Amino acid sequence: MTLWPDRRILDLFGIELPIIQAPMAGATTVDMVVATAKAGGLGSLPSALLNVEGLRKALGEIRAATKAPVNVNFFAHLSPADDPSAQARWRALLAPYYAEADLDPATIVAGGVRAPFDPAFCDVVEDLRPEVVSFHFGLPARELVQRVKATGAKVVSSATTVAEAVWLEANGVDAVIAMGFEAGGHRGNFLTDNMATQVGTMALVPQVVDAVRVPVIAAGGIADGRGVAAALMLGASAVQIGTAYLFCPEARIPDVHAEALAASRDDGTAIANVFTGRPARSVVNRLVRELGPISEGVPAFPTAAAALAPIRAKAEADSRDDFTNLWSGQAAKLALRTGAETLTRELYLTALDVLDRRTPF
């Protein structure tokens, strides 16, 4: 059987399989991270919806369950300044939905809950020393990156264009995630806000490979072994996969999200900013159809989510996905329905089988 021919990520992270479970805030659990790690892939713990104490607890539980390398992921956005006018415009857009649900707009909780990487989170990294630390939306302040690297952790971040990949390499990352337009969840863009010019995985990965010296991880529209093998052919050393793991029993998502994924189509998702204030790929639902997908009336990330929370909760209680962020990539239909440990192994073994059977030129 063919062995994985590009060992750069395997050796860099100290893992056995070139499969990285994407860090999906709100959906990834400790059990998912541990199962992926036990299979030989890289389990990834998202921190964006955790406070410092929650991160410390979750990472401690992972360390108790496995000695395998682990990735901890952080957002690198800047917290926005208060903007009462923008919030008022957003609440006005949502007012009809509040009225329909017979909810008082006063139930809105101010602020957003997605927290950026800061010195307090860095303290946790220094104390618990995850082998990999990844970032989304660029990188945090240089001094924080230096503190992370001083722990021995490998630093990774997402690029949605070649220019972003080159910037990341120049600013010290050990590997780049080339995030194609097909990927679910928040786009990792940080040098551009133009969603019309975002690049698909097949075009992005080889151009990033040609532009940087560090190894490249392919992400976006990869949900089975064929995609893993294709990423290798494009020059990637490994893949990062998110949506396929949402079908695993270890995932923690609302029932309406699971149902939307089960019924998903290749053309059933869209890049929308109406859930959080940043572009993210979701299954199209009522909010996307009626206010989006991209709206200038949405306040800055991550504050948009607060005003949605009450009407989202009410809809979910009624088994409706109208206001739920149904994160999904474009290849959800290809995902296996199995546990995270089995999925990780099957992705790799199927990729090897594809490589073994490929027709020689």
Tab-separated table of all heavy atoms in Angstrom, residues 182-186 243 246-247 253-275 279-290 292-293 320-333:
chain	number	residue	atom	x	y	z
A	182	GLU	N	-14.912	26.907	-0.645
A	182	GLU	CA	-15.911	25.881	-0.363
A	182	GLU	C	-16.091	25.602	1.124
A	182	GLU	O	-17.050	24.956	1.534
A	182	GLU	CB	-15.520	24.563	-1.054
A	182	GLU	CG	-15.376	24.656	-2.558
A	182	GLU	CD	-13.949	24.951	-3.007
A	182	GLU	OE1	-13.241	25.668	-2.255
A	182	GLU	OE2	-13.551	24.481	-4.071
A	183	ALA	N	-15.164	26.066	1.949
A	183	ALA	CA	-15.146	25.700	3.368
A	183	ALA	C	-16.345	26.250	4.121
A	183	ALA	O	-16.851	27.331	3.830
A	183	ALA	CB	-13.855	26.199	4.021
A	184	GLY	N	-16.787	25.496	5.124
A	184	GLY	CA	-17.869	25.942	5.975
A	184	GLY	C	-17.381	26.848	7.087
A	184	GLY	O	-16.186	26.931	7.377
A	185	GLY	N	-18.315	27.525	7.732
A	185	GLY	CA	-17.967	28.388	8.850
A	185	GLY	C	-17.322	29.685	8.414
A	185	GLY	O	-17.367	30.075	7.237
A	186	HIS	N	-16.709	30.364	9.370
A	186	HIS	CA	-16.146	31.694	9.105
A	186	HIS	C	-14.985	31.634	8.127
A	186	HIS	O	-14.070	30.807	8.270
A	186	HIS	CB	-15.658	32.330	10.409
A	186	HIS	CG	-16.768	32.854	11.260
A	186	HIS	ND1	-17.226	32.190	12.374
A	186	HIS	CD2	-17.527	33.979	11.150
A	186	HIS	CE1	-18.217	32.880	12.923
A	186	HIS	NE2	-18.415	33.966	12.202
A	243	THR	N	-16.673	19.994	8.214
A	243	THR	CA	-18.069	19.598	8.081
A	243	THR	C	-18.283	18.103	8.282
A	243	THR	O	-19.264	17.691	8.924
A	243	THR	CB	-18.614	20.031	6.712
A	243	THR	OG1	-18.435	21.442	6.557
A	243	THR	CG2	-20.088	19.709	6.581
A	246	LEU	N	-18.996	17.082	11.723
A	246	LEU	CA	-20.275	17.482	12.317
A	246	LEU	C	-21.290	16.348	12.293
A	246	LEU	O	-22.289	16.388	13.022
A	246	LEU	CB	-20.840	18.697	11.582
A	246	LEU	CG	-20.052	19.995	11.719
A	246	LEU	CD1	-20.713	21.103	10.905
A	246	LEU	CD2	-19.923	20.413	13.173
A	247	PHE	N	-21.061	15.336	11.470
A	247	PHE	CA	-21.947	14.176	11.423
A	247	PHE	C	-21.594	13.145	12.498
A	247	PHE	O	-22.332	12.173	12.669
A	247	PHE	CB	-21.879	13.514	10.044
A	247	PHE	CG	-22.500	14.325	8.940
A	247	PHE	CD1	-21.734	15.219	8.201
A	247	PHE	CD2	-23.845	14.197	8.640
A	247	PHE	CE1	-22.305	15.962	7.177
A	247	PHE	CE2	-24.425	14.937	7.621
A	247	PHE	CZ	-23.655	15.829	6.889
A	253	ILE	N	-24.161	19.914	18.189
A	253	ILE	CA	-24.878	20.908	17.393
A	253	ILE	C	-26.368	20.760	17.656
A	253	ILE	O	-26.840	19.679	18.021
A	253	ILE	CB	-24.583	20.774	15.882
A	253	ILE	CG1	-24.926	19.358	15.380
A	253	ILE	CG2	-23.126	21.113	15.579
A	253	ILE	CD1	-24.754	19.180	13.883
A	254	PRO	N	-27.146	21.838	17.473
A	254	PRO	CA	-28.598	21.731	17.651
A	254	PRO	C	-29.203	20.733	16.669
A	254	PRO	O	-28.666	20.501	15.579
A	254	PRO	CB	-29.092	23.156	17.361
A	254	PRO	CG	-27.897	24.033	17.498
A	254	PRO	CD	-26.724	23.204	17.108
A	255	ASP	N	-30.329	20.164	17.054
A	255	ASP	CA	-31.004	19.211	16.168
A	255	ASP	C	-31.315	19.821	14.804
A	255	ASP	O	-31.199	19.149	13.773
A	255	ASP	CB	-32.300	18.729	16.815
A	255	ASP	CG	-32.056	17.817	18.015
A	255	ASP	OD1	-30.926	17.312	18.159
A	255	ASP	OD2	-32.993	17.630	18.804
A	256	VAL	N	-31.697	21.099	14.790
A	256	VAL	CA	-32.039	21.722	13.511
A	256	VAL	C	-30.817	21.823	12.599
A	256	VAL	O	-30.945	21.769	11.370
A	256	VAL	CB	-32.678	23.109	13.709
A	256	VAL	CG1	-34.028	22.995	14.396
A	256	VAL	CG2	-31.742	24.059	14.483
A	257	HIS	N	-29.637	21.970	13.188
A	257	HIS	CA	-28.403	22.013	12.404
A	257	HIS	C	-28.118	20.634	11.813
A	257	HIS	O	-27.805	20.500	10.624
A	257	HIS	CB	-27.239	22.476	13.285
A	257	HIS	CG	-25.996	22.821	12.544
A	257	HIS	ND1	-24.893	23.393	13.143
A	257	HIS	CD2	-25.644	22.675	11.232
A	257	HIS	CE1	-23.946	23.578	12.261
A	257	HIS	NE2	-24.375	23.150	11.082
A	258	ALA	N	-28.245	19.599	12.645
A	258	ALA	CA	-28.022	18.237	12.158
A	258	ALA	C	-28.985	17.888	11.031
A	258	ALA	O	-28.596	17.262	10.030
A	258	ALA	CB	-28.168	17.241	13.308
A	259	GLU	N	-30.228	18.310	11.168
A	259	GLU	CA	-31.217	18.033	10.123
A	259	GLU	C	-30.886	18.781	8.838
A	259	GLU	O	-31.045	18.245	7.727
A	259	GLU	CB	-32.603	18.417	10.632
A	259	GLU	CG	-33.105	17.506	11.747
A	259	GLU	CD	-34.280	18.099	12.502
A	259	GLU	OE1	-34.766	19.184	12.092
A	259	GLU	OE2	-34.704	17.493	13.494
A	260	ALA	N	-30.415	20.010	8.958
A	260	ALA	CA	-30.046	20.786	7.770
A	260	ALA	C	-28.862	20.159	7.059
A	260	ALA	O	-28.816	20.108	5.819
A	260	ALA	CB	-29.727	22.225	8.170
A	261	LEU	N	-27.892	19.662	7.818
A	261	LEU	CA	-26.743	18.996	7.213
A	261	LEU	C	-27.164	17.725	6.489
A	261	LEU	O	-26.683	17.433	5.392
A	261	LEU	CB	-25.705	18.658	8.290
A	261	LEU	CG	-24.934	19.828	8.898
A	261	LEU	CD1	-24.124	19.350	10.087
A	261	LEU	CD2	-24.013	20.477	7.861
A	262	ALA	N	-28.052	16.971	7.118
A	262	ALA	CA	-28.500	15.714	6.518
A	262	ALA	C	-29.208	15.942	5.189
A	262	ALA	O	-29.174	15.084	4.298
A	262	ALA	CB	-29.414	14.975	7.485
A	263	ALA	N	-29.842	17.087	5.038
A	263	ALA	CA	-30.580	17.399	3.818
A	263	ALA	C	-29.796	18.308	2.876
A	263	ALA	O	-30.344	18.799	1.885
A	263	ALA	CB	-31.909	18.066	4.175
A	264	SER	N	-28.528	18.519	3.158
A	264	SER	CA	-27.759	19.517	2.415
A	264	SER	C	-27.532	19.121	0.964
A	264	SER	O	-27.520	17.944	0.604
A	264	SER	CB	-26.409	19.747	3.092
A	264	SER	OG	-25.634	18.566	3.038
A	265	ARG	N	-27.355	20.140	0.125
A	265	ARG	CA	-27.043	19.961	-1.289
A	265	ARG	C	-25.770	20.729	-1.603
A	265	ARG	O	-25.352	21.600	-0.857
A	265	ARG	CB	-28.168	20.487	-2.179
A	265	ARG	CG	-29.554	19.964	-1.858
A	265	ARG	CD	-30.542	20.443	-2.940
A	265	ARG	NE	-30.372	21.855	-3.275
A	265	ARG	CZ	-31.029	22.852	-2.675
A	265	ARG	NH1	-31.880	22.589	-1.685
A	265	ARG	NH2	-30.822	24.098	-3.042
A	266	ASP	N	-25.177	20.419	-2.753
A	266	ASP	CA	-23.966	21.129	-3.152
A	266	ASP	C	-24.213	22.623	-3.296
A	266	ASP	O	-23.329	23.447	-3.027
A	266	ASP	CB	-23.412	20.555	-4.457
A	266	ASP	CG	-24.410	20.663	-5.613
A	266	ASP	OD1	-25.618	20.490	-5.372
A	266	ASP	OD2	-23.973	20.925	-6.749
A	267	ASP	N	-25.435	23.003	-3.718
A	267	ASP	CA	-25.755	24.416	-3.920
A	267	ASP	C	-26.650	24.963	-2.808
A	267	ASP	O	-27.320	25.973	-2.985
A	267	ASP	CB	-26.426	24.628	-5.272
A	267	ASP	CG	-27.746	23.865	-5.412
A	267	ASP	OD1	-28.036	23.005	-4.537
A	267	ASP	OD2	-28.480	24.122	-6.375
A	268	GLY	N	-26.625	24.314	-1.655
A	268	GLY	CA	-27.526	24.704	-0.584
A	268	GLY	C	-26.926	25.600	0.471
A	268	GLY	O	-27.578	25.889	1.489
A	269	THR	N	-25.693	26.054	0.264
A	269	THR	CA	-25.042	26.933	1.235
A	269	THR	C	-24.715	28.278	0.601
A	269	THR	O	-24.728	28.419	-0.622
A	269	THR	CB	-23.740	26.315	1.787
A	269	THR	OG1	-22.773	26.218	0.719
A	269	THR	CG2	-23.989	24.935	2.385
A	270	ALA	N	-24.403	29.239	1.444
A	270	ALA	CA	-24.016	30.568	0.961
A	270	ALA	C	-23.082	31.216	1.973
A	270	ALA	O	-23.120	30.903	3.169
A	270	ALA	CB	-25.244	31.451	0.757
A	271	ILE	N	-22.243	32.129	1.484
A	271	ILE	CA	-21.410	32.948	2.363
A	271	ILE	C	-22.282	34.091	2.871
A	271	ILE	O	-22.814	34.881	2.081
A	271	ILE	CB	-20.194	33.512	1.621
A	271	ILE	CG1	-19.305	32.376	1.113
A	271	ILE	CG2	-19.402	34.447	2.537
A	271	ILE	CD1	-18.637	31.573	2.184
A	272	ALA	N	-22.449	34.175	4.187
A	272	ALA	CA	-23.346	35.166	4.782
A	272	ALA	C	-22.685	35.822	5.990
A	272	ALA	O	-21.939	35.175	6.722
A	272	ALA	CB	-24.656	34.504	5.211
A	273	ASN	N	-22.991	37.105	6.191
A	273	ASN	CA	-22.467	37.806	7.367
A	273	ASN	C	-23.542	38.081	8.413
A	273	ASN	O	-23.277	38.723	9.431
A	273	ASN	CB	-21.797	39.125	6.962
A	273	ASN	CG	-22.794	40.172	6.483
A	273	ASN	OD1	-23.939	39.864	6.166
A	273	ASN	ND2	-22.336	41.419	6.407
A	274	VAL	N	-24.763	37.610	8.175
A	274	VAL	CA	-25.897	38.010	9.005
A	274	VAL	C	-25.962	37.293	10.349
A	274	VAL	O	-26.782	37.648	11.198
A	274	VAL	CB	-27.232	37.809	8.260
A	274	VAL	CG1	-27.345	38.802	7.111
A	274	VAL	CG2	-27.364	36.373	7.738
A	275	PHE	N	-25.103	36.313	10.568
A	275	PHE	CA	-25.125	35.605	11.837
A	275	PHE	C	-24.201	36.234	12.880
A	275	PHE	O	-24.534	36.285	14.063
A	275	PHE	CB	-24.742	34.136	11.649
A	275	PHE	CG	-25.705	33.379	10.793
A	275	PHE	CD1	-25.377	33.035	9.484
A	275	PHE	CD2	-26.948	33.003	11.274
A	275	PHE	CE1	-26.262	32.332	8.689
A	275	PHE	CE2	-27.846	32.304	10.487
A	275	PHE	CZ	-27.505	31.967	9.185
A	279	PRO	N	-18.194	37.219	7.212
A	279	PRO	CA	-18.645	36.225	6.242
A	279	PRO	C	-18.355	34.803	6.713
A	279	PRO	O	-17.252	34.497	7.176
A	279	PRO	CB	-17.828	36.565	4.988
A	279	PRO	CG	-17.422	37.994	5.153
A	279	PRO	CD	-17.221	38.160	6.630
A	280	ALA	N	-19.352	33.941	6.581
A	280	ALA	CA	-19.221	32.544	6.976
A	280	ALA	C	-20.170	31.713	6.130
A	280	ALA	O	-21.276	32.157	5.812
A	280	ALA	CB	-19.537	32.374	8.460
A	281	ARG	N	-19.759	30.503	5.786
A	281	ARG	CA	-20.602	29.654	4.946
A	281	ARG	C	-21.574	28.862	5.806
A	281	ARG	O	-21.176	28.142	6.723
A	281	ARG	CB	-19.769	28.702	4.080
A	281	ARG	CG	-20.629	27.888	3.110
A	281	ARG	CD	-19.799	27.056	2.136
A	281	ARG	NE	-19.058	27.874	1.184
A	281	ARG	CZ	-19.575	28.453	0.112
A	281	ARG	NH1	-20.872	28.333	-0.161
A	281	ARG	NH2	-18.808	29.163	-0.694
A	282	SER	N	-22.856	28.995	5.484
A	282	SER	CA	-23.937	28.337	6.207
A	282	SER	C	-24.937	27.753	5.221
A	282	SER	O	-25.054	28.232	4.081
A	282	SER	CB	-24.656	29.365	7.106
A	282	SER	OG	-25.876	28.865	7.618
A	283	VAL	N	-25.641	26.721	5.654
A	283	VAL	CA	-26.811	26.292	4.905
A	283	VAL	C	-27.782	27.474	4.856
A	283	VAL	O	-27.971	28.187	5.845
A	283	VAL	CB	-27.486	25.081	5.583
A	283	VAL	CG1	-28.778	24.706	4.863
A	283	VAL	CG2	-26.532	23.888	5.618
A	284	VAL	N	-28.348	27.703	3.695
A	284	VAL	CA	-29.266	28.832	3.523
A	284	VAL	C	-30.537	28.589	4.334
A	284	VAL	O	-31.161	27.532	4.242
A	284	VAL	CB	-29.603	29.029	2.038
A	284	VAL	CG1	-30.678	30.102	1.863
A	284	VAL	CG2	-28.347	29.397	1.254
A	285	ASN	N	-30.897	29.565	5.146
A	285	ASN	CA	-32.147	29.492	5.908
A	285	ASN	C	-32.898	30.814	5.772
A	285	ASN	O	-32.542	31.676	4.951
A	285	ASN	CB	-31.886	29.121	7.372
A	285	ASN	CG	-31.035	30.155	8.097
A	285	ASN	OD1	-30.667	31.184	7.545
A	285	ASN	ND2	-30.727	29.873	9.353
A	286	ARG	N	-33.905	30.991	6.582
A	286	ARG	CA	-34.762	32.171	6.446
A	286	ARG	C	-33.972	33.470	6.602
A	286	ARG	O	-34.168	34.424	5.825
A	286	ARG	CB	-35.879	32.106	7.486
A	286	ARG	CG	-36.843	33.284	7.413
A	286	ARG	CD	-37.898	33.195	8.492
A	286	ARG	NE	-38.801	34.343	8.453
A	286	ARG	CZ	-39.734	34.588	9.368
A	286	ARG	NH1	-39.888	33.753	10.391
A	286	ARG	NH2	-40.498	35.658	9.255
A	287	LEU	N	-33.110	33.556	7.612
A	287	LEU	CA	-32.361	34.791	7.849
A	287	LEU	C	-31.488	35.144	6.649
A	287	LEU	O	-31.425	36.307	6.231
A	287	LEU	CB	-31.502	34.650	9.104
A	287	LEU	CG	-30.805	35.931	9.560
A	287	LEU	CD1	-31.809	36.945	10.090
A	287	LEU	CD2	-29.752	35.622	10.629
A	288	VAL	N	-30.816	34.133	6.081
A	288	VAL	CA	-29.964	34.369	4.912
A	288	VAL	C	-30.800	34.839	3.731
A	288	VAL	O	-30.423	35.771	3.011
A	288	VAL	CB	-29.178	33.094	4.556
A	288	VAL	CG1	-28.388	33.288	3.268
A	288	VAL	CG2	-28.244	32.700	5.696
A	289	ARG	N	-31.947	34.215	3.524
A	289	ARG	CA	-32.796	34.589	2.379
A	289	ARG	C	-33.371	35.993	2.531
A	289	ARG	O	-33.434	36.756	1.564
A	289	ARG	CB	-33.941	33.584	2.225
A	289	ARG	CG	-33.543	32.219	1.711
A	289	ARG	CD	-34.771	31.393	1.340
A	289	ARG	NE	-35.640	31.156	2.495
A	289	ARG	CZ	-35.534	30.108	3.304
A	289	ARG	NH1	-34.599	29.197	3.076
A	289	ARG	NH2	-36.366	29.963	4.309
A	290	GLU	N	-33.778	36.362	3.734
A	290	GLU	CA	-34.522	37.599	3.910
A	290	GLU	C	-33.648	38.813	4.226
A	290	GLU	O	-34.001	39.937	3.848
A	290	GLU	CB	-35.576	37.411	5.002
A	290	GLU	CG	-36.637	36.393	4.606
A	290	GLU	CD	-37.728	36.190	5.652
A	290	GLU	OE1	-37.656	36.846	6.716
A	290	GLU	OE2	-38.645	35.387	5.413
A	292	GLY	N	-29.936	38.635	3.997
A	292	GLY	CA	-28.578	38.475	3.478
A	292	GLY	C	-28.583	38.082	2.014
A	292	GLY	O	-29.512	38.440	1.298
A	293	PRO	N	-27.553	37.328	1.616
A	293	PRO	CA	-26.541	36.777	2.508
A	293	PRO	C	-25.570	37.804	3.104
A	293	PRO	O	-25.162	37.673	4.245
A	293	PRO	CB	-25.803	35.757	1.644
A	293	PRO	CG	-26.116	36.121	0.231
A	293	PRO	CD	-27.443	36.806	0.230
A	320	ARG	N	-37.351	24.966	14.457
A	320	ARG	CA	-37.115	25.735	13.233
A	320	ARG	C	-35.673	26.242	13.218
A	320	ARG	O	-35.151	26.659	14.245
A	320	ARG	CB	-38.083	26.917	13.138
A	320	ARG	CG	-39.547	26.501	12.937
A	320	ARG	CD	-40.463	27.710	12.794
A	320	ARG	NE	-40.607	28.441	14.048
A	320	ARG	CZ	-40.105	29.643	14.297
A	320	ARG	NH1	-39.394	30.271	13.361
A	320	ARG	NH2	-40.301	30.223	15.461
A	321	ASP	N	-35.063	26.228	12.034
A	321	ASP	CA	-33.672	26.665	11.906
A	321	ASP	C	-33.559	28.087	11.356
A	321	ASP	O	-32.509	28.495	10.862
A	321	ASP	CB	-32.880	25.701	11.019
A	321	ASP	CG	-33.363	25.682	9.562
A	321	ASP	OD1	-34.172	26.555	9.160
A	321	ASP	OD2	-32.926	24.802	8.797
A	322	ASP	N	-34.627	28.880	11.467
A	322	ASP	CA	-34.712	30.186	10.816
A	322	ASP	C	-33.536	31.106	11.114
A	322	ASP	O	-33.112	31.889	10.254
A	322	ASP	CB	-36.001	30.901	11.229
A	322	ASP	CG	-37.253	30.215	10.711
A	322	ASP	OD1	-37.129	29.239	9.946
A	322	ASP	OD2	-38.357	30.653	11.066
A	323	PHE	N	-33.013	31.080	12.345
A	323	PHE	CA	-32.001	32.053	12.764
A	323	PHE	C	-30.722	31.379	13.268
A	323	PHE	O	-29.867	32.040	13.846
A	323	PHE	CB	-32.580	32.965	13.854
A	323	PHE	CG	-33.895	33.580	13.467
A	323	PHE	CD1	-35.094	33.093	13.978
A	323	PHE	CD2	-33.940	34.620	12.550
A	323	PHE	CE1	-36.308	33.644	13.598
A	323	PHE	CE2	-35.149	35.179	12.161
A	323	PHE	CZ	-36.344	34.687	12.686
A	324	THR	N	-30.601	30.085	13.034
A	324	THR	CA	-29.431	29.333	13.492
A	324	THR	C	-28.323	29.390	12.457
A	324	THR	O	-28.578	29.219	11.259
A	324	THR	CB	-29.819	27.859	13.747
A	324	THR	OG1	-30.876	27.813	14.711
A	324	THR	CG2	-28.625	27.076	14.263
A	325	ASN	N	-27.109	29.622	12.910
A	325	ASN	CA	-25.963	29.576	11.996
A	325	ASN	C	-25.660	28.104	11.688
A	325	ASN	O	-25.072	27.388	12.484
A	325	ASN	CB	-24.734	30.274	12.593
A	325	ASN	CG	-24.446	29.863	14.018
A	325	ASN	OD1	-25.169	30.214	14.944
A	325	ASN	ND2	-23.368	29.112	14.207
A	326	LEU	N	-26.059	27.685	10.505
A	326	LEU	CA	-25.965	26.286	10.089
A	326	LEU	C	-24.669	26.064	9.321
A	326	LEU	O	-24.659	25.752	8.128
A	326	LEU	CB	-27.182	25.929	9.223
A	326	LEU	CG	-28.554	26.234	9.838
A	326	LEU	CD1	-29.649	26.111	8.786
A	326	LEU	CD2	-28.836	25.313	11.021
A	327	TRP	N	-23.538	26.245	10.001
A	327	TRP	CA	-22.241	26.168	9.324
A	327	TRP	C	-22.104	24.857	8.564
A	327	TRP	O	-22.334	23.767	9.089
A	327	TRP	CB	-21.109	26.287	10.314
A	327	TRP	CG	-21.010	27.517	11.167
A	327	TRP	CD1	-20.473	27.571	12.422
A	327	TRP	CD2	-21.378	28.874	10.862
A	327	TRP	NE1	-20.506	28.859	12.913
A	327	TRP	CE2	-21.056	29.669	11.979
A	327	TRP	CE3	-21.975	29.483	9.751
A	327	TRP	CZ2	-21.299	31.047	12.023
A	327	TRP	CZ3	-22.219	30.853	9.793
A	327	TRP	CH2	-21.879	31.608	10.909
A	328	SER	N	-21.676	24.958	7.316
A	328	SER	CA	-21.479	23.782	6.474
A	328	SER	C	-20.661	24.152	5.261
A	328	SER	O	-20.853	25.225	4.676
A	328	SER	CB	-22.826	23.210	6.013
A	328	SER	OG	-22.635	22.149	5.092
A	329	GLY	N	-19.761	23.250	4.874
A	329	GLY	CA	-19.067	23.396	3.611
A	329	GLY	C	-19.921	22.879	2.468
A	329	GLY	O	-21.049	22.410	2.664
A	330	GLN	N	-19.378	22.936	1.271
A	330	GLN	CA	-20.142	22.566	0.075
A	330	GLN	C	-20.147	21.069	-0.202
A	330	GLN	O	-20.857	20.622	-1.107
A	330	GLN	CB	-19.599	23.317	-1.139
A	330	GLN	CG	-19.876	24.810	-1.119
A	330	GLN	CD	-19.379	25.510	-2.369
A	330	GLN	OE1	-18.302	25.220	-2.877
A	330	GLN	NE2	-20.164	26.443	-2.874
A	331	ALA	N	-19.386	20.295	0.563
A	331	ALA	CA	-19.288	18.859	0.271
A	331	ALA	C	-19.882	18.001	1.379
A	331	ALA	O	-19.511	16.841	1.541
A	331	ALA	CB	-17.828	18.467	0.043
A	332	ALA	N	-20.823	18.538	2.138
A	332	ALA	CA	-21.402	17.795	3.259
A	332	ALA	C	-21.994	16.457	2.813
A	332	ALA	O	-21.956	15.471	3.563
A	332	ALA	CB	-22.469	18.643	3.954
A	333	LYS	N	-22.534	16.397	1.628
A	333	LYS	CA	-23.178	15.179	1.140
A	333	LYS	C	-22.205	14.005	1.062
A	333	LYS	O	-22.629	12.838	1.066
A	333	LYS	CB	-23.772	15.442	-0.247
A	333	LYS	CG	-24.938	14.545	-0.618
A	333	LYS	CD	-26.179	14.923	0.162
A	333	LYS	CE	-27.398	14.179	-0.300
A	333	LYS	NZ	-28.601	14.526	0.491
